[in-house]
Structures are given as structure tokens and as C-alpha cells.
Amino acid sequence: MADDYRRQGFELERRIFELDIKCASLRAEKQDDDYLQNASAILDKLKSYYRQGGESSNLSKVLQDYTQVILDITFYEENKLVDQEFPEDCSPFKIQQLLQDLTEPEVLAGRLAPAQEVQSMLGLELLECLYWRRGALLYMYCHTLHQRKQWIKKNKDTFLKCIQEGVRYLMRMLQVRNSVKLNDGVVLHDTATASFLSEGIFSDTHLLTMMYIGEMCFWAVKYEDCSADTMDRKEDRLQFRDIGTQILNKYVLACEGPLQGQGWNTENAKEILSILQ
């Protein structure tokens, strides 16, 4: 057991030094990028920690710093893909690579501390961000593909797979924090705040996640009926129509209720709902 732990600890150390090389290479492209600068600073701290014989008692903090490095580096790489409008030749491979990178902190946390919950090792905000970033990446990719009608005609099942995976990640993001139960001794004097928390809405990002899910469900409903049944077994598919309807209804109620006048637009959500319902 001790040998396994040391071996896995060495794996984390090795990955940190590998990321340092990668970060330096990317900074050669854009030296003044804020995210790469932040990643580089954290990596310097982590390298110093290991060179001084870091103690395992700090594993949670090391994993959190490592996760932030992953988030910063992949954000830079994602922006390059977006700026290039997801080139058809390299985007599928690059997206899978980014998804794997954004999954790695969760996998490492599970291996290095199997007796503890991943969310206790990484923290709720970082775990939410890992799911959000994977889902948002697939949303942006699908948004671009949705405008390539000829591509979709030839690759409907691939498109639907990307949507399904993206919706799953975004749904997981919304589920990281358990909704606050108002009968559990929680006293909230602001009824709007109480309503948000009870619905699992904790930030603007949660609202944006709902809109992303609704749009992706709409795209799926639009194309899945005329798709060959090769994507997955039908029973494994998400119920896109039901999910989109439920999420967008919650979004509209929030934006036209407590958030009315705060700049959240519901026109697109209502238009999608009229089709889904």
C-alpha cells in the first residue's frame, strides 16, 4: 500500500514537471498571457515544494494547485481553438486531449486519496469548474458545428455524441453542490436568495450553464430523430426534450422573477421551449 502511494505520488510530481515544460513552450508563443503567467507561478511553487521533499499531509493543497495549473493552461489552449473557429482537421483530437487533461485532477484525487471524497480534496469550486469547462468546451464546439450544415449531414452521430457528453458534464456541474434545503435549519431573510439556493443556482455561471444545456438539448432534438441509430443504445441516450424543458423553465422563472432587470434575456429560452414542449 505504501509503495502504491509513493508510486502515485511520484506520478503527480512527474506530471507537474511535465506541465512546467509544456507551459514554458506555450509561453514562448505568448509571453504576456495572464493565464500562462499564473500557471507558471504556481508551477514554480510546486516544483520548489517537491525539491524540498514535500509532505503528504499537504496533498489536498498540492492537488488544488495542480488543478488550477490545468485550468489555466487548458484555457489558453481552448481560446486558440475558438479563435481558429475549431479547424475540422485537428479539433476532434485536440478536444479529446483537453477533455482528458480536465479529467485528470479528478482521477488523480481518487487514486491518491481513495478514502476521501474527490470534492473534499479538490474543493467544490474547482470540481464545479472542471465540469463546467468540459461542458462549455463541447458547447462551443457544437455551436460551431451547428453552423456547418454540410458537415452535420455527414456526421450526425458524432455531433449528437458531442452534445450528449457536453450535457452530461454541464448537468454534473449543476449537481456538485447539493441544493440548500430550506427546512434544514437554514435561515435566509432574502426570499430571492432562498429561492435560488433551493433550486441549486449559486452564481451567474449556473444560470449560463442552464442556457447552454437548453440550447444543446434543442440541437439534439432537432437532429436525433433523423439520425441513424448508431450513436448508442436508445436506452442510454439522454431525454433531451425533457431535460431541456425542465432546465429552461427554471432559467426563465429565475430571470423573469428575482433577476428581472438584471440583464438576463429569456427570448431565446422561450423560443426553444415553444419547440421542445
Side-chain angles (χ1 to χ4, degrees), residues 71 74 78 98-105 130 133-134:
L71 290 169
T74 54
E78 285 175 32
L98 286 168
L99 293 174
Q100 182 177 336
D101 288 344
L102 289 164
T103 300
E104 188 183 35
L130 287 169
R133 287 281 303 283
R134 282 175 278 180

Side-chain angles (χ1 to χ4, degrees), residues 90-151:
C90 65
S91 290
F93 171 78
K94 189 60 183 176
I95 286 170
Q96 286 307 310
Q97 189 177 54
L98 286 168
L99 293 174
Q100 182 177 336
D101 288 344
L102 289 164
T103 300
E104 188 183 35
E106 194 177 354
V107 173
L108 276 175
R111 287 212 304 258
L112 291 172
Q116 301 188 49
E117 291 186 1
V118 170
Q119 68 182 37
S120 70
M121 295 298 293
L122 298 182
L124 292 176
E125 289 187 6
L126 283 176
L127 189 57
E128 267 187 350
C129 194
L130 287 169
Y131 285 124
W132 157 252
R133 287 281 303 283
R134 282 175 278 180
L137 171 62
L138 287 166
Y139 166 83
M140 290 186 291
Y141 184 45
C142 290
H143 186 276
T144 301
L145 295 178
H146 182 247
Q147 300 170 54
R148 297 174 180 169
K149 306 303 182 185
Q150 293 303 314
W151 184 92

